[in-house]
Amino acid sequence: MEQQQQQLRRKRDGVVQVLDGSEIRALVENRDAFARFVDDRFRKLDADGDGRLSVKELQPAVADIGAAIGLPARGSSRQADHIYAEARFQLAFEYNMVLNEFTHGKQDSVSKSEFQHVLSDILLGMAAGLKRDPIVILRINGEDLNEFVDSPRYEPEAAAIFSQVNSGDNASLGQCLLAALRQLTVDHGMPPASDSWVVENMVEPAMQELRSDQLDQPVSQESFFHEFKKLLSIITRRLQQHPVIVAHTENTFDGSGIRRLLSNKFEFDKLLDSVWRGVPKEHKDKTSKGYLRVALDRIADSASLPPYGAVDQVDAVVNEAFKMAKADDGKAVDKAEFKKLLTEILGAIMLQLDGNPIAVSTNTVVHEPMSAPSSLLSPTPLSPMVSSPCE
């Protein structure tokens, strides 16, 4: 991941910003700045001004906090959404813990000091998610796309793309050109061509500059090469006039994180004990196997795994591991059996990922550039980004 980030930083295509959680951790560790941040958040959430936050007032907290620390808007990408999901889970967990610990179940609201305790854990959870899956902000301004079109790479890659998009069923030139654009990535200097904003503001206007009578004709390799190069040149010009901000994430899950975790038996046992203490107990100090999935999500960061639901391919591996361990039958188990099952599940996931690593990446168009990260330490909230999701 670090090598990938360094490669992205070296891109000529404008300003690059890496959201890796370091700014969030710096905020929490800066006592004065964090106190100002808490005051600002608490004042905005305390709608009735009574000096306490009710459950209803806390509900928008995660979205507001995410915007204030500069995260992409919810719905902008699956990575961002699952950072929010982790935070909402943490909010519910911490809120209930605070209520039980500080009010003994007699009140349904929290004070500012209690909220600060909850908020610290939420932010550190978000920072952990970004450290695991950094979000790289790219400013695509046409330089890389222009370089690609003029480079020796263009012809062989265009030939490979043509062979993929030409179905041979009397496909038209226009159809092949649109399909070809979707084969290009940010590495070529092309924003995601499936994004609705890119289609409306880049692709469709560029297509309109080509000869319409040719676009409906059956495609040939010669016509494709010529018109595709012309199309990319037009898009390059439009990107130079209106650069596009893209949030980029990539990761490879190969089981190595689980292997490192399992190899340190002392630390792994401490982690299992911590997870066990956090799950609800039934009679005779037992818990349902259903909480194994909650427990796995709680240790996902330590095992270099995505939260469940973030990556479909990894979800399939997890589901198979649970099936092999018969961990979804809902039966009650004691601490020893719970830890044994969780260890078996992790081992099965590790073996599957070791043999078949899963690489994932997403590119999300962001229609407003982010505020400077240094403003995180200001009590004034940052401007949220307006985004549209794109896989």
Side-chain angles (χ1 to χ4, degrees):
M1 175 58 70
E2 179 60 29
Q3 183 179 1
Q4 293 166 343
Q5 290 180 19
Q6 290 174 356
Q7 291 173 347
L8 287 167
R9 287 190 183 99
R10 288 196 294 267
K11 288 178 71 67
R12 290 172 45 200
D13 225 4
V15 178
V16 173
Q17 181 182 348
V18 180
L19 302 180
D20 60 2
S22 58
E23 288 287 337
I24 301 176
R25 288 189 293 274
L27 171 64
V28 176
E29 292 167 2
N30 186 321
R31 186 171 300 178
D32 292 339
F34 187 53
R36 293 195 301 271
F37 184 83
V38 171
D39 287 342
D40 181 75
R41 293 293 95 198
F42 191 89
R43 185 174 63 256
K44 285 179 168 56
L45 292 169
D46 186 15
D48 57 13
D50 67 350
R52 299 187 69 85
L53 295 181
S54 64
V55 175
K56 183 178 180 180
E57 289 171 328
L58 273 173
Q59 285 176 349
V62 171
D64 289 347
I65 292 166
I69 62 178
L71 278 179
R74 186 180 300 162
S76 63
S77 71
R78 295 184 71 172
Q79 279 67 20
D81 285 351
H82 281 279
I83 290 171
Y84 281 114
E86 286 181 327
R88 287 197 298 274
F89 177 86
Q90 186 72 14
L91 173 62
F93 179 83
E94 294 289 345
Y95 182 75
N96 290 329
M97 184 184 71
V98 167
L99 287 181
N100 290 331
E101 181 176 349
F102 290 96
T103 72
H104 306 289
K106 297 178 181 179
Q107 297 175 347
D108 60 355
S109 62
V110 296
S111 67
K112 185 190 291 186
S113 62
E114 294 161 357
F115 175 68
Q116 181 166 342
H117 171 76
V118 173
L119 184 57
S120 173
D121 285 343
I122 291 173
L123 289 176
L124 291 176
M126 286 181 165
L130 287 168
K131 183 179 180 180
R132 179 188 63 242
D133 297 314
I135 299 175
V136 181
I137 306 300
L138 302 173
R139 184 175 185 270
I140 300 182
N141 61 10
E143 290 185 17
D144 281 2
L145 187 57
N146 184 63
E147 182 180 286
F148 165 65
V149 171
D150 290 340
S151 73
R153 293 172 51 202
Y154 173 74
E155 287 199 6
E157 291 199 33
I161 291 173
F162 178 73
S163 66
Q164 293 174 13
V165 302
N166 182 23
S167 62
D169 298 328
N170 294 321
S172 70
L173 173 61
Q175 290 173 329
C176 286
L177 290 175
L178 290 173
L181 287 178
R182 290 192 286 271
Q183 300 293 316
L184 300 181
T185 69
V186 294
D187 291 330
H188 298 96
M190 179 70 195
S194 58
D195 178 87
S196 59
W197 189 93
V198 174
V199 170
E200 182 179 348
N201 293 275
M202 295 287 162
V203 176
E204 289 181 349
M207 291 288 288
Q208 290 172 4
E209 293 191 37
L210 301 179
R211 289 181 55 183
S212 58
D213 60 325
Q214 289 188 352
L215 295 179
D216 294 330
Q217 296 299 315
V219 66
S220 67
Q221 181 167 316
E222 182 181 357
S223 65
F224 174 83
F225 272 37
H226 183 267
E227 295 302 312
F228 190 47
K229 193 167 190 174
K230 185 186 296 185
L231 178 63
L232 294 182
S233 297
I234 297 170
I235 293 175
T236 295
R237 188 183 70 242
R238 298 190 67 84
L239 286 171
Q240 291 169 346
Q241 297 169 347
H242 304 286
V244 176
I245 308 299
V246 172
H248 173 80
T249 64
E250 56 186 73
N251 211 336
T252 299
F253 303 101
D254 58 7
S256 58
I258 303 176
R259 189 179 302 280
R260 285 192 299 271
L261 181 62
L262 296 180
S263 66
N264 191 331
K265 294 183 179 180
F266 177 74
E267 291 298 328
F268 179 56
D269 200 54
K270 282 175 56 179
L271 181 61
L272 291 179
D273 286 340
S274 174
V275 170
W276 171 256
R277 288 193 296 270
V279 297
K281 307 299 188 302
E282 299 177 356
H283 58 86
K284 295 183 180 180
D285 202 31
K286 290 187 176 183
T287 192
S288 168
K289 287 184 182 180
Y291 289 107
L292 283 166
R293 288 188 179 272
V294 176
L296 183 62
D297 255 7
R298 297 288 288 176
I299 65 175
D301 182 57
S302 300
S304 298
L305 289 173
Y308 188 81
V311 180
D312 292 341
Q313 303 97 309
V314 177
D315 289 350
V317 173
V318 170
N319 291 339
E320 183 62 25
F322 269 78
K323 182 178 178 181
M324 290 173 59
K326 298 180 180 179
D328 278 331
D329 59 18
K331 293 182 179 179
V333 292
D334 59 16
K335 178 180 180 179
E337 182 66 13
F338 188 87
K339 292 168 63 174
K340 178 175 178 288
L341 282 170
L342 195 52
T343 303
E344 289 178 0
I345 290 167
L346 283 169
I349 295 171
M350 178 189 70
L351 291 175
Q352 182 64 27
L353 291 178
D354 182 59
N356 299 282
I358 295 172
V360 294
S361 67
T362 63
N363 295 292
T364 303
V365 174
V366 179
H367 303 312
E368 292 180 7
M370 296 187 62
S371 300
S374 59
S375 59
L376 259 182
L377 301 183
S378 165
T380 303
L382 303 180
S383 299
M385 299 188 299
V386 181
S387 317
S388 64
C390 174
E391 292 299 328

